[in-house]
Amino acid sequence: MPGRRFPAAALLGAILLGLSGASAQQPTSPTPVLTALDYLEIEQLVYRYGYALDTAADNGFAYADLYAPEATFTGTNQGPSGRTYQGRDRLAALARGGRRGPNFVSHYVTNVVIEPAPGGAVGRTYVGILDIGNGGNGSKSRVDHGGLYNDVYVKTPQGWRFKSRSYFESSSGAPVQPPPATMGVPRTLSVAPTASAPPGSRPGLTAEDYIEIQQLVSRYPYALDQNPDEGLSYANLFTPDAVFRQPRTEGRQNLATMASRAPHGPKYTRHFLANHVIEATADGAIGKQYLVAVDIGEMGPPNSIFLGGHYEDVYVKTPEGWRFKTRTFIASATGTETK
Amino acid sequence: MIARYTRVASTVGVLVLALAWCVDIASGQGGTGKPAASFAGLTAADYIEIRQLVARYAYAVDTGADNGNVYASLFAPDGAFADRMGRETRGHEALAALARRNTRGPQSAFHFIVNHVIEPASDGAIGKEYLLQLRMGEGERPNEVFGGGHYEDIYVKTPDGWRFKRRQFIPSEGGPRPRPRPEAEAR
């Protein structure tokens, strides 16, 4: 088992840690500058995936047509070394192969992270694959399984398409006591400014600000659940003086330590975010999202919902880009307010 | 998990692939080749504002904030919500009353909305999303998936910004479960 897991983990790690490395075999392709519209169009592609697959519309070809010619889907959980599907007919057949229906919903995709890469863009998303009981037949709804997609996107004459998509089933790692973290330089989350909306030219937030804040928040679950670097990626999503609650945790060093004490692993997907509201303030922005933390792939216990609720955030624009200044989790509860 | 897939993979997987291939040849059908996304008529700002409208819906319906008026204000003056039976609730007062009836408390998170697809339409935009309903933090009851389905929306740009002209909820309804499952299914 360890012998088999290592290459898969190494492959995943290579993709996760070096997203831009996914297209490294194309040294001649320049890295494009992505506009706000590029980000939005790629997100639309990613969101259409669920409908195309769950309905098998157009005899599965709605699914196949989300891919560029010669593009591939790889289910790394299928067989000992994964299985790859290539070509329009093969992909359409794949889409027809599961439980389907015109109103069936199963593939819930969220936490969409997109980065420019040579020849196009790369991305990651979480997917929760749900078994939603049919209305009226009494069957129970549940989280069937879930995990990660790793994507490469390419802009075709018809728009953005998948060049490749790989699925990795979630599996939990053990919580670890981290070694002392050395704080690295935060990465910049950049969206190309558009001529029509120069930053600072009007009150409120530009389209680029919204995209960057969305990308900041979408990176949060990866930094926490996969935590490839002892919490550094996690801590660098915050400003140096940021405060997370609860438990109250202040400063990047403490945030990195907190993140590393949480369960994580290279294929672990636990924090699913939704409903991201963003509002401009006098000195930055505030926002909120829903969270459901799902225990998937715990090697034994059935999938279960660990906790849920919502985050309330304050964002601030730093020289490195938008960062969390405060982030507060409020657990879901019915009835009157208890916070 | 991996070991289980490994055992069945070499036999079942090949069989299913072969079967899928045969079905594919037999059907001989192609798709329409529709483009996946078209933004003609919608700016990035429109797109973002519609996303924000839909995100706000969840909070408004779960908390019933401001006596249901926050929920009602997400709809155009003549806007309507249609429930799983197709029954419409139309107009500000009726929508606010609906939100007051459905609220689960000011701190509840029940409506998880993802996969938001937006398309321009002749007089505005249309969209759809997946809805996942989650019961969490409800006393002694264990956290659980309550249900789900999808919304179909019509949006209209009013002087106050983008609003729902109509939103309908359609519960999930799946066909028969194919077998064998894991090898045939795109994840």
Side-chain angles (χ1 to χ4, degrees):
Chain A
M1 183 67 99
R4 195 157 50 236
R5 286 180 71 175
F6 176 73
L11 172 66
L12 182 79
I15 296 170
L16 290 180
L17 290 172
L19 270 173
S20 53
S23 299
Q25 68 272 25
Q26 303 175 330
T28 53
S29 301
T31 299
V33 175
L34 298 183
T35 65
L37 214 48
D38 285 321
Y39 279 88
L40 296 168
E41 288 181 3
I42 292 170
E43 283 181 357
Q44 288 292 296
L45 172 72
V46 165
Y47 294 145
R48 282 171 194 277
Y49 186 91
Y51 301 87
L53 190 51
D54 295 337
T55 66
D58 291 339
N59 210 24
F61 285 95
Y63 175 81
D65 289 339
L66 300 177
Y67 291 82
E70 312 305 318
T72 58
F73 171 80
T74 301
T76 66
N77 60 324
Q78 299 181 20
S81 54
R83 183 163 290 119
T84 295
Y85 304 81
Q86 185 172 32
R88 193 164 175 264
D89 290 338
R90 191 66 62 91
L91 289 165
L94 181 67
R96 293 193 297 267
R99 189 181 182 210
R100 306 290 182 244
N103 290 328
F104 185 51
V105 302
S106 179
H107 288 72
Y108 285 77
V109 174
T110 189
N111 304 345
V112 182
V113 169
I114 298 163
E115 288 184 6
V122 294
R124 299 170 283 179
T125 82
Y126 278 28
V127 58
I129 302 172
L130 276 287
D131 193 348
I132 305 285
N134 281 345
N137 75 357
S139 63
K140 194 88 170 155
S141 297
R142 62 192 181 88
V143 180
D144 189 54
H145 59 147
L148 273 175
Y149 289 123
N150 272 301
D151 298 335
V152 179
Y153 314 108
V154 61
K155 196 167 192 173
T156 74
Q158 288 76 40
W160 285 94
R161 294 290 186 275
F162 293 106
K163 187 172 182 191
S164 70
R165 162 160 274 202
S166 300
Y167 173 73
F168 296 84
E169 183 93 356
S170 179
S171 61
S172 172
V176 296
Q177 291 299 320
T182 309
M183 303 310 302
V185 178
R187 293 176 63 192
T188 302
L189 313 175
S190 62
V191 180
T194 50
S196 59
S201 67
R202 58 191 164 105
L205 299 172
T206 65
E208 292 71 34
D209 288 324
Y210 276 95
I211 300 290
E212 288 179 24
I213 293 170
Q214 280 176 11
Q215 289 290 306
L216 170 73
V217 167
S218 291
R219 279 169 165 74
Y220 184 90
Y222 299 87
L224 196 51
D225 298 338
Q226 284 127 53
N227 188 358
D229 49 11
E230 287 88 44
L232 292 187
S233 297
Y234 180 82
N236 282 336
L237 300 174
F238 294 81
T239 59
D241 61 344
V243 175
F244 175 88
R245 310 181 190 88
Q246 294 285 338
R248 184 186 164 88
T249 306
E250 189 168 351
R252 283 179 172 159
Q253 195 70 61
N254 293 325
L255 288 163
T257 303
M258 180 183 75
S260 290
R261 286 180 178 151
H264 59 272
K267 291 195 289 178
Y268 195 39
T269 59
R270 194 183 207 205
H271 289 74
F272 288 74
L273 303 174
N275 308 338
H276 189 188
V277 168
I278 301 166
E279 280 178 21
T281 60
D283 51 358
I286 57 172
K288 52 188 180 179
Q289 324 95 55
Y290 279 20
L291 163 73
V292 57
V294 191
D295 287 333
I296 304 175
E298 300 289 346
M299 298 291 175
N303 299 333
S304 61
I305 297 172
F306 177 65
L307 62 77
H310 75 277
Y311 289 112
E312 295 187 356
D313 301 331
V314 176
Y315 315 109
V316 62
K317 196 168 191 172
T318 75
E320 287 84 34
W322 285 93
R323 292 292 184 272
F324 294 105
K325 185 164 175 60
T326 69
R327 185 155 171 84
T328 304
F329 177 70
I330 296 157
S332 182
T334 51
T336 52
E337 198 152 11
T338 57
K339 63 172 156 175
Chain B
M1 192 71 96
I2 293 170
R4 201 183 72 204
Y5 286 133
T6 306
R7 278 200 300 277
V8 294
S10 50
T11 51
V12 175
V14 168
L15 196 65
V16 168
L17 249 187
L19 189 66
W21 179 241
C22 292
V23 168
D24 195 37
I25 291 170
S27 74
Q29 283 185 294
T32 57
K34 275 185 295 194
S38 165
F39 280 76
L42 289 181
T43 65
D46 287 327
Y47 178 93
I48 287 165
E49 286 173 28
I50 293 170
R51 286 261 298 257
Q52 290 290 303
L53 172 73
V54 164
R56 285 170 195 280
Y57 182 94
Y59 300 86
V61 68
D62 288 345
T63 66
D66 190 22
N67 228 11
N69 285 306
V70 173
Y71 178 80
S73 69
L74 300 176
F75 289 81
D78 62 341
F81 172 77
D83 68 10
R84 63 178 64 217
M85 309 299 290
R87 291 175 301 221
E88 283 195 356
T89 302
R90 188 179 296 275
H92 188 97
E93 281 313 312
L95 288 165
L98 182 72
R100 286 195 296 273
R101 280 199 304 276
N102 287 343
T103 179
R104 304 174 82 83
Q107 211 176 300
S108 71
F110 182 76
H111 286 74
F112 283 70
I113 300 171
V114 301
N115 296 356
H116 189 183
V117 168
I118 301 167
E119 285 179 11
S122 56
D123 51 354
I126 58 172
K128 53 188 180 178
E129 311 88 17
Y130 278 22
L131 169 67
L132 179 61
Q133 296 159 309
L134 298 174
R135 282 184 129 144
M136 301 184 295
E138 301 198 355
E140 297 301 305
R141 178 194 289 275
N143 295 336
E144 64 177 9
V145 179
F146 177 79
H150 77 277
Y151 290 117
E152 294 188 359
D153 299 336
I154 301 171
Y155 315 109
V156 60
K157 196 168 191 172
T158 75
D160 298 323
W162 285 94
R163 294 291 185 273
F164 293 104
K165 189 174 171 66
R166 189 172 191 277
R167 157 162 277 199
Q168 176 159 17
F169 174 67
I170 296 156
S172 179
E173 194 176 337
R177 195 176 296 280
R179 57 185 81 193
R181 258 183 67 247
E183 310 310 325
E185 199 170 346
R187 301 294 182 178

